[in-house]
Amino acid sequence: MIRSLILAFSVVSAFIALPVMAADWPTRPVTLYIGYKPGGGTDTVGRVFAKVLGRELGQQVNVVNKPGAGGGVASMSVARAKPDGYTLLMNPSSSITANPHVTKKVRVKPEDYEYAGMLTAYQPGLVAPIGAPFNTFDEFIAHAKKNPGLKYAALNPFARMTMQVIAKQKGIDVDIVPVKGGSGMLAVVLGGQVDLAYSGGIHSRHPTKIKGIVPLTSERQPGMPGVPTLAEQGVPVEANAMTTVLAPKGTPDAIMDKLAAAMKVASEDPTIHDISKKTQFPLFYRTRSEALAEMQKQWKAYKSVVDATGFKAK
């Protein structure tokens, strides 16, 4: 009898303590995981955001880089973390919406998290050396039909699938050259070793040497003003990615609301605006509910491309 009373009291106490703890949060430093190495665009934006977040929360926010599997290692680590608000993630949305469709070991989905919101957008697109004999997507297709075997740099499986969809629809023959990440893509484009490449957005740092051919986002990009997206030009491929702040599923709403309020402030902060311009990641602020809706939309869009090519996750 006494043991049962003690157990019941413990359960009730736990439920009472949770909202109290959430109301007081944070009472110690918070860890913000970033799924990429230091120095890249995601890390650069994340570190500036961490300072703003720490200021708003009144506690230090420590950035921990946890690279691997295109952000998937960090995504899975945070999904398994205790939902107490002290372990957060800032990653491209695509690390959750795209990677699980192509990599078996990345076992996460949008519903595995609570969302504080989105802050900036990546600018993926198809790009070419500045001297390439075409400037638009239609011109590339016409050039490819006259010159079978053009070389295309693919930095990940989705980049490969993008060209497979294009080649099948447009009836062109393109040689796909695998490269390692953005640095590998830059090397072959700047070296003139390929005719076209998939870029996650890093090409914008070399405007005198690399030109954008077509945006891969669902909306037109500031870096390619007036250029219709690939989807607008009749090819059903969209590759959206936004810097997204997440917490493990089950993190109390009181904590998530505080995070969301801090993100709103960050979206208006001059330091965030400055780093947005420097990294060429335009602002793309989204609320908690808007972020979840965007994640679900992206999940379906990436899956449709994977299904169209018959690709099986490895």
CSV table of all heavy atoms in Angstrom, one decimal, residues 7-56:
chain,number,residue,atom,x,y,z
A,7,LEU,N,4.7,5.4,-5.4
A,7,LEU,CA,4.7,5.4,-6.9
A,7,LEU,C,3.8,6.4,-7.5
A,7,LEU,O,4.1,7.1,-8.4
A,7,LEU,CB,4.4,4.0,-7.4
A,7,LEU,CG,4.4,3.8,-8.9
A,7,LEU,CD1,5.8,4.1,-9.5
A,7,LEU,CD2,4.1,2.3,-9.3
A,8,ALA,N,2.6,6.4,-7.0
A,8,ALA,CA,1.6,7.4,-7.5
A,8,ALA,C,2.0,8.8,-7.3
A,8,ALA,O,1.9,9.7,-8.1
A,8,ALA,CB,0.2,7.1,-6.8
A,9,PHE,N,2.6,9.1,-6.1
A,9,PHE,CA,3.1,10.4,-5.8
A,9,PHE,C,4.2,10.8,-6.7
A,9,PHE,O,4.3,12.0,-7.2
A,9,PHE,CB,3.6,10.5,-4.3
A,9,PHE,CG,4.1,11.8,-3.9
A,9,PHE,CD1,3.3,12.9,-3.7
A,9,PHE,CD2,5.5,12.0,-3.9
A,9,PHE,CE1,3.8,14.1,-3.3
A,9,PHE,CE2,6.0,13.2,-3.5
A,9,PHE,CZ,5.2,14.3,-3.3
A,10,SER,N,5.1,9.9,-7.1
A,10,SER,CA,6.2,10.1,-8.0
A,10,SER,C,5.7,10.5,-9.3
A,10,SER,O,6.2,11.4,-10.0
A,10,SER,CB,7.1,8.9,-8.0
A,10,SER,OG,7.7,8.6,-6.8
A,11,VAL,N,4.7,9.7,-9.8
A,11,VAL,CA,4.1,10.0,-11.2
A,11,VAL,C,3.5,11.4,-11.2
A,11,VAL,O,3.7,12.2,-12.1
A,11,VAL,CB,3.1,8.9,-11.5
A,11,VAL,CG1,2.4,9.3,-12.8
A,11,VAL,CG2,3.8,7.6,-11.7
A,12,VAL,N,2.7,11.7,-10.2
A,12,VAL,CA,2.0,13.0,-10.1
A,12,VAL,C,3.1,14.1,-10.0
A,12,VAL,O,3.0,15.1,-10.7
A,12,VAL,CB,1.0,13.1,-8.9
A,12,VAL,CG1,0.5,14.5,-8.8
A,12,VAL,CG2,-0.1,12.1,-9.1
A,13,SER,N,4.1,13.9,-9.2
A,13,SER,CA,5.1,14.9,-9.1
A,13,SER,C,5.8,15.2,-10.4
A,13,SER,O,6.2,16.3,-10.7
A,13,SER,CB,6.1,14.5,-8.0
A,13,SER,OG,5.5,14.3,-6.8
A,14,ALA,N,6.1,14.1,-11.2
A,14,ALA,CA,6.8,14.3,-12.5
A,14,ALA,C,5.9,15.2,-13.4
A,14,ALA,O,6.5,16.0,-14.1
A,14,ALA,CB,7.0,12.9,-13.1
A,15,PHE,N,4.6,14.9,-13.4
A,15,PHE,CA,3.7,15.7,-14.3
A,15,PHE,C,3.7,17.2,-13.8
A,15,PHE,O,3.6,18.1,-14.6
A,15,PHE,CB,2.3,15.1,-14.4
A,15,PHE,CG,2.2,14.0,-15.3
A,15,PHE,CD1,2.2,12.7,-14.9
A,15,PHE,CD2,2.2,14.2,-16.7
A,15,PHE,CE1,2.1,11.6,-15.8
A,15,PHE,CE2,2.1,13.2,-17.6
A,15,PHE,CZ,2.0,11.9,-17.1
A,16,ILE,N,3.7,17.4,-12.5
A,16,ILE,CA,3.7,18.7,-12.0
A,16,ILE,C,5.0,19.5,-12.3
A,16,ILE,O,5.0,20.6,-12.7
A,16,ILE,CB,3.4,18.7,-10.5
A,16,ILE,CG1,2.0,18.2,-10.2
A,16,ILE,CG2,3.6,20.1,-9.9
A,16,ILE,CD1,1.6,18.1,-8.8
A,17,ALA,N,6.1,18.7,-12.2
A,17,ALA,CA,7.4,19.3,-12.3
A,17,ALA,C,7.7,19.7,-13.7
A,17,ALA,O,8.4,20.7,-14.0
A,17,ALA,CB,8.5,18.3,-11.9
A,18,LEU,N,7.2,19.0,-14.7
A,18,LEU,CA,7.5,19.3,-16.1
A,18,LEU,C,7.1,20.7,-16.6
A,18,LEU,O,8.0,21.4,-17.1
A,18,LEU,CB,6.8,18.2,-17.0
A,18,LEU,CG,7.2,18.3,-18.5
A,18,LEU,CD1,8.7,18.1,-18.7
A,18,LEU,CD2,6.4,17.2,-19.3
A,19,PRO,N,5.9,21.1,-16.3
A,19,PRO,CA,5.5,22.5,-16.7
A,19,PRO,C,6.3,23.6,-15.9
A,19,PRO,O,6.6,24.6,-16.4
A,19,PRO,CB,4.0,22.6,-16.4
A,19,PRO,CG,3.7,21.5,-15.6
A,19,PRO,CD,4.7,20.4,-15.9
A,20,VAL,N,6.6,23.2,-14.6
A,20,VAL,CA,7.4,24.2,-13.8
A,20,VAL,C,8.8,24.3,-14.4
A,20,VAL,O,9.3,25.4,-14.6
A,20,VAL,CB,7.5,23.7,-12.4
A,20,VAL,CG1,8.5,24.6,-11.6
A,20,VAL,CG2,6.1,23.8,-11.7
A,21,MET,N,9.4,23.2,-14.8
A,21,MET,CA,10.8,23.2,-15.4
A,21,MET,C,10.7,23.9,-16.7
A,21,MET,O,11.6,24.7,-17.0
A,21,MET,CB,11.3,21.8,-15.6
A,21,MET,CG,11.6,21.0,-14.3
A,21,MET,SD,11.9,19.3,-14.6
A,21,MET,CE,13.3,19.3,-15.7
A,22,ALA,N,9.7,23.7,-17.5
A,22,ALA,CA,9.5,24.4,-18.8
A,22,ALA,C,9.4,25.9,-18.6
A,22,ALA,O,10.0,26.7,-19.4
A,22,ALA,CB,8.4,23.8,-19.6
A,23,ALA,N,8.7,26.3,-17.6
A,23,ALA,CA,8.5,27.7,-17.4
A,23,ALA,C,9.8,28.4,-17.0
A,23,ALA,O,10.0,29.6,-17.3
A,23,ALA,CB,7.4,27.9,-16.3
A,24,ASP,N,10.6,27.7,-16.2
A,24,ASP,CA,11.9,28.2,-15.8
A,24,ASP,C,13.0,28.1,-16.8
A,24,ASP,O,14.1,28.7,-16.7
A,24,ASP,CB,12.4,27.5,-14.5
A,24,ASP,CG,11.5,27.8,-13.3
A,24,ASP,OD1,10.7,28.8,-13.4
A,24,ASP,OD2,11.5,27.1,-12.4
A,25,TRP,N,12.8,27.3,-17.8
A,25,TRP,CA,13.8,27.0,-18.9
A,25,TRP,C,14.2,28.3,-19.6
A,25,TRP,O,13.4,29.2,-19.9
A,25,TRP,CB,13.3,26.0,-19.9
A,25,TRP,CG,14.2,25.7,-21.0
A,25,TRP,CD1,15.2,24.8,-21.0
A,25,TRP,CD2,14.3,26.4,-22.3
A,25,TRP,NE1,15.8,24.8,-22.2
A,25,TRP,CE2,15.3,25.8,-23.0
A,25,TRP,CE3,13.6,27.5,-22.8
A,25,TRP,CZ2,15.7,26.2,-24.3
A,25,TRP,CZ3,14.0,27.9,-24.1
A,25,TRP,CH2,15.0,27.3,-24.8
A,26,PRO,N,15.6,28.4,-19.9
A,26,PRO,CA,16.7,27.6,-19.5
A,26,PRO,C,17.4,28.1,-18.2
A,26,PRO,O,17.5,29.3,-17.9
A,26,PRO,CB,17.6,27.7,-20.6
A,26,PRO,CG,17.4,29.1,-21.1
A,26,PRO,CD,16.0,29.5,-20.9
A,27,THR,N,17.8,27.1,-17.4
A,27,THR,CA,18.5,27.5,-16.2
A,27,THR,C,20.0,27.1,-16.3
A,27,THR,O,20.8,27.3,-15.3
A,27,THR,CB,17.9,26.7,-15.0
A,27,THR,OG1,18.0,25.3,-15.2
A,27,THR,CG2,16.5,27.1,-14.8
A,28,ARG,N,20.4,26.6,-17.4
A,28,ARG,CA,21.8,26.3,-17.7
A,28,ARG,C,22.1,26.4,-19.2
A,28,ARG,O,21.2,26.6,-20.0
A,28,ARG,CB,22.2,24.9,-17.2
A,28,ARG,CG,21.3,23.8,-17.7
A,28,ARG,CD,21.6,22.5,-17.1
A,28,ARG,NE,20.7,21.4,-17.4
A,28,ARG,CZ,20.7,20.6,-18.5
A,28,ARG,NH1,21.7,20.8,-19.4
A,28,ARG,NH2,19.8,19.7,-18.7
A,29,PRO,N,23.4,26.3,-19.6
A,29,PRO,CA,23.7,26.5,-21.0
A,29,PRO,C,22.9,25.5,-21.9
A,29,PRO,O,22.6,24.3,-21.5
A,29,PRO,CB,25.2,26.2,-21.1
A,29,PRO,CG,25.7,26.7,-19.7
A,29,PRO,CD,24.6,26.2,-18.8
A,30,VAL,N,22.7,25.9,-23.1
A,30,VAL,CA,22.0,25.1,-24.1
A,30,VAL,C,23.0,24.6,-25.2
A,30,VAL,O,23.9,25.4,-25.5
A,30,VAL,CB,20.8,25.9,-24.8
A,30,VAL,CG1,20.2,25.1,-25.9
A,30,VAL,CG2,19.8,26.2,-23.7
A,31,THR,N,22.8,23.4,-25.7
A,31,THR,CA,23.7,22.9,-26.8
A,31,THR,C,23.0,23.0,-28.1
A,31,THR,O,21.8,22.5,-28.2
A,31,THR,CB,24.1,21.5,-26.5
A,31,THR,OG1,24.9,21.4,-25.3
A,31,THR,CG2,25.0,21.0,-27.6
A,32,LEU,N,23.6,23.6,-29.1
A,32,LEU,CA,23.1,23.7,-30.4
A,32,LEU,C,23.9,22.9,-31.4
A,32,LEU,O,25.1,23.3,-31.7
A,32,LEU,CB,23.0,25.1,-30.9
A,32,LEU,CG,22.5,25.4,-32.3
A,32,LEU,CD1,21.0,25.0,-32.4
A,32,LEU,CD2,22.7,26.8,-32.8
A,33,TYR,N,23.4,21.7,-31.8
A,33,TYR,CA,24.2,20.9,-32.8
A,33,TYR,C,24.0,21.4,-34.2
A,33,TYR,O,23.0,21.9,-34.6
A,33,TYR,CB,23.7,19.5,-32.7
A,33,TYR,CG,24.2,18.7,-31.6
A,33,TYR,CD1,23.5,18.5,-30.4
A,33,TYR,CD2,25.5,18.1,-31.6
A,33,TYR,CE1,24.0,17.8,-29.3
A,33,TYR,CE2,26.0,17.4,-30.5
A,33,TYR,CZ,25.2,17.2,-29.4
A,33,TYR,OH,25.7,16.5,-28.3
A,34,ILE,N,25.1,21.4,-34.9
A,34,ILE,CA,25.1,21.7,-36.4
A,34,ILE,C,25.8,20.5,-37.1
A,34,ILE,O,26.9,20.1,-36.7
A,34,ILE,CB,25.9,23.0,-36.6
A,34,ILE,CG1,25.2,24.2,-36.0
A,34,ILE,CG2,26.1,23.2,-38.1
A,34,ILE,CD1,25.9,25.5,-36.1
A,35,GLY,N,25.1,20.0,-38.1
A,35,GLY,CA,25.5,18.8,-38.7
A,35,GLY,C,26.6,18.9,-39.8
A,35,GLY,O,26.7,18.0,-40.6
A,36,TYR,N,27.4,19.9,-39.7
A,36,TYR,CA,28.5,20.1,-40.7
A,36,TYR,C,29.7,20.6,-40.0
A,36,TYR,O,29.7,21.1,-38.9
A,36,TYR,CB,28.0,21.1,-41.8
A,36,TYR,CG,26.8,20.6,-42.6
A,36,TYR,CD1,25.5,20.7,-42.1
A,36,TYR,CD2,27.1,19.9,-43.8
A,36,TYR,CE1,24.5,20.2,-42.8
A,36,TYR,CE2,26.0,19.4,-44.5
A,36,TYR,CZ,24.7,19.5,-44.0
A,36,TYR,OH,23.7,19.0,-44.7
A,37,LYS,N,30.8,20.6,-40.8
A,37,LYS,CA,32.1,21.0,-40.2
A,37,LYS,C,32.1,22.5,-40.0
A,37,LYS,O,31.4,23.3,-40.7
A,37,LYS,CB,33.2,20.6,-41.2
A,37,LYS,CG,33.4,19.1,-41.4
A,37,LYS,CD,34.5,18.8,-42.4
A,37,LYS,CE,34.7,17.3,-42.6
A,37,LYS,NZ,35.8,17.0,-43.6
A,38,PRO,N,33.0,23.0,-39.2
A,38,PRO,CA,33.1,24.5,-38.9
A,38,PRO,C,33.6,25.2,-40.2
A,38,PRO,O,34.3,24.6,-41.1
A,38,PRO,CB,34.2,24.6,-37.9
A,38,PRO,CG,34.2,23.3,-37.2
A,38,PRO,CD,33.9,22.2,-38.2
A,39,GLY,N,33.1,26.4,-40.4
A,39,GLY,CA,33.5,27.2,-41.5
A,39,GLY,C,32.6,27.3,-42.7
A,39,GLY,O,32.7,28.2,-43.5
A,40,GLY,N,31.7,26.3,-42.8
A,40,GLY,CA,30.7,26.4,-44.0
A,40,GLY,C,29.6,27.3,-43.7
A,40,GLY,O,29.5,28.0,-42.7
A,41,GLY,N,28.7,27.5,-44.7
A,41,GLY,CA,27.6,28.4,-44.6
A,41,GLY,C,26.7,28.1,-43.5
A,41,GLY,O,26.3,29.0,-42.7
A,42,THR,N,26.3,26.8,-43.3
A,42,THR,CA,25.4,26.5,-42.2
A,42,THR,C,26.0,26.8,-40.8
A,42,THR,O,25.4,27.4,-40.0
A,42,THR,CB,25.1,25.0,-42.3
A,42,THR,OG1,24.5,24.7,-43.6
A,42,THR,CG2,24.1,24.6,-41.2
A,43,ASP,N,27.3,26.4,-40.7
A,43,ASP,CA,28.0,26.7,-39.4
A,43,ASP,C,28.1,28.2,-39.2
A,43,ASP,O,27.9,28.7,-38.1
A,43,ASP,CB,29.4,26.1,-39.5
A,43,ASP,CG,30.2,26.4,-38.2
A,43,ASP,OD1,29.9,25.9,-37.2
A,43,ASP,OD2,31.2,27.2,-38.4
A,44,THR,N,28.4,29.0,-40.2
A,44,THR,CA,28.6,30.4,-40.1
A,44,THR,C,27.3,31.1,-39.6
A,44,THR,O,27.3,31.9,-38.7
A,44,THR,CB,29.0,31.0,-41.4
A,44,THR,OG1,30.3,30.4,-41.8
A,44,THR,CG2,29.3,32.5,-41.3
A,45,VAL,N,26.2,30.7,-40.3
A,45,VAL,CA,24.9,31.3,-39.9
A,45,VAL,C,24.5,30.8,-38.5
A,45,VAL,O,24.0,31.6,-37.6
A,45,VAL,CB,23.8,30.9,-40.9
A,45,VAL,CG1,22.4,31.3,-40.3
A,45,VAL,CG2,24.0,31.5,-42.2
A,46,GLY,N,24.8,29.5,-38.2
A,46,GLY,CA,24.5,28.9,-36.9
A,46,GLY,C,25.2,29.6,-35.7
A,46,GLY,O,24.6,29.8,-34.7
A,47,ARG,N,26.4,30.0,-35.9
A,47,ARG,CA,27.2,30.6,-34.8
A,47,ARG,C,26.7,32.0,-34.5
A,47,ARG,O,26.6,32.4,-33.4
A,47,ARG,CB,28.7,30.5,-35.1
A,47,ARG,CG,29.2,29.1,-35.0
A,47,ARG,CD,30.7,29.1,-35.3
A,47,ARG,NE,31.1,27.7,-35.3
A,47,ARG,CZ,31.5,27.0,-34.1
A,47,ARG,NH1,31.5,27.7,-33.0
A,47,ARG,NH2,31.8,25.8,-34.2
A,48,VAL,N,26.3,32.7,-35.6
A,48,VAL,CA,25.7,34.0,-35.3
A,48,VAL,C,24.4,33.9,-34.7
A,48,VAL,O,24.0,34.6,-33.7
A,48,VAL,CB,25.6,34.8,-36.7
A,48,VAL,CG1,24.9,36.1,-36.4
A,48,VAL,CG2,27.0,35.1,-37.3
A,49,PHE,N,23.6,32.9,-35.1
A,49,PHE,CA,22.3,32.7,-34.5
A,49,PHE,C,22.4,32.3,-33.0
A,49,PHE,O,21.6,32.7,-32.2
A,49,PHE,CB,21.5,31.6,-35.3
A,49,PHE,CG,20.3,31.1,-34.6
A,49,PHE,CD1,19.2,31.9,-34.5
A,49,PHE,CD2,20.3,29.9,-34.0
A,49,PHE,CE1,18.0,31.5,-33.8
A,49,PHE,CE2,19.1,29.4,-33.3
A,49,PHE,CZ,18.0,30.2,-33.2
A,50,ALA,N,23.4,31.5,-32.7
A,50,ALA,CA,23.6,31.0,-31.4
A,50,ALA,C,23.8,32.2,-30.4
A,50,ALA,O,23.4,32.2,-29.3
A,50,ALA,CB,24.8,30.1,-31.3
A,51,LYS,N,24.6,33.2,-30.9
A,51,LYS,CA,24.8,34.4,-30.0
A,51,LYS,C,23.5,35.2,-29.8
A,51,LYS,O,23.2,35.6,-28.6
A,51,LYS,CB,25.8,35.3,-30.7
A,51,LYS,CG,27.2,34.7,-30.7
A,51,LYS,CD,28.2,35.7,-31.4
A,51,LYS,CE,29.6,35.1,-31.4
A,51,LYS,NZ,30.6,36.0,-32.1
A,52,VAL,N,22.7,35.3,-30.8
A,52,VAL,CA,21.4,36.0,-30.7
A,52,VAL,C,20.5,35.2,-29.7
A,52,VAL,O,19.8,35.7,-28.8
A,52,VAL,CB,20.7,36.2,-32.0
A,52,VAL,CG1,19.4,36.9,-31.8
A,52,VAL,CG2,21.6,37.1,-32.9
A,53,LEU,N,20.5,33.9,-29.9
A,53,LEU,CA,19.6,33.0,-29.1
A,53,LEU,C,20.0,33.1,-27.7
A,53,LEU,O,19.2,33.2,-26.8
A,53,LEU,CB,19.7,31.6,-29.6
A,53,LEU,CG,18.8,30.5,-28.9
A,53,LEU,CD1,17.4,30.9,-29.0
A,53,LEU,CD2,19.1,29.2,-29.5
A,54,GLY,N,21.3,33.0,-27.4
A,54,GLY,CA,21.8,33.1,-26.0
A,54,GLY,C,21.5,34.4,-25.4
A,54,GLY,O,21.1,34.4,-24.2
A,55,ARG,N,21.5,35.5,-26.1
A,55,ARG,CA,21.2,36.8,-25.6
A,55,ARG,C,19.7,36.8,-25.2
A,55,ARG,O,19.3,37.3,-24.2
A,55,ARG,CB,21.5,37.8,-26.6
A,55,ARG,CG,21.2,39.3,-26.2
A,55,ARG,CD,21.2,40.2,-27.4
A,55,ARG,NE,20.0,40.0,-28.3
A,55,ARG,CZ,20.0,40.3,-29.6
A,55,ARG,NH1,21.1,40.8,-30.1
A,55,ARG,NH2,18.9,40.1,-30.3
A,56,GLU,N,18.9,36.2,-26.1
A,56,GLU,CA,17.4,36.3,-25.8
A,56,GLU,C,17.0,35.3,-24.7
A,56,GLU,O,16.0,35.6,-23.9
A,56,GLU,CB,16.6,35.9,-27.1
A,56,GLU,CG,16.8,36.9,-28.2
A,56,GLU,CD,16.2,38.3,-27.8
A,56,GLU,OE1,15.1,38.4,-27.3
A,56,GLU,OE2,17.0,39.3,-27.9
